[in-house]
Amino acid sequence: MNKAKLVEVVGRVVSTRKEALSAVDALLNAVQHALRSGDKVVLAGIGSFHVKMRKAKIGRNPKTGQTVPIPPRRAVRFKMSKDLFTNPSAASYNQQNA
């Protein structure tokens, strides 16, 4: 599902497409802001997003073979909820509404 499909689904609940787009944008901006500030984002029944620091490491340029230092950086991780993982009806919902 992409952003346009998400706006379409939210548009079924609110009165206009413009309101749906504003609601989706507000949600995505809130998630981005929370992750940038290091907070964990939990969506009940779906899963959680959190930021994890990756260690600095030594990489290799595949063209030249030269070693290149790779600095530490932040990466977003997603952990699926147990309900979504174990509930078979979730898969049928996706197939019906795709």
Side-chain angles (χ1 to χ4, degrees):
M1 176 180 278
N2 58 18
K3 184 178 176 180
K5 182 70 174 172
L6 190 58
V7 168
E8 180 184 324
V9 172
V10 173
R12 295 177 195 156
V13 178
V14 296
S15 59
T16 65
R17 185 184 183 288
K18 190 173 185 178
E19 287 178 358
L21 182 60
S22 295
V24 170
D25 282 340
L27 172 69
L28 296 177
N29 287 336
V31 170
Q32 285 180 357
H33 179 70
L35 291 173
R36 283 190 179 133
S37 62
D39 295 337
K40 184 177 183 179
V41 177
V42 179
L43 302 173
I46 295 174
S48 63
F49 295 91
H50 63 279
V51 177
K52 184 174 182 177
M53 278 303 285
R54 287 189 176 176
K55 296 178 186 177
K57 60 184 180 179
I58 301 296
R60 187 171 302 276
N61 182 335
K63 192 171 187 178
T64 64
Q66 181 182 9
T67 59
V68 179
I70 300 173
R73 63 185 185 136
R74 299 176 346 163
V76 176
R77 298 285 183 226
F78 175 75
K79 183 175 181 183
M80 188 182 338
S81 75
K82 291 181 182 178
D83 292 340
L84 186 64
F85 184 72
T86 59
N87 189 356
S89 65
S92 63
Y93 174 79
N94 288 335
Q95 291 172 354
Q96 292 171 0
N97 296 314

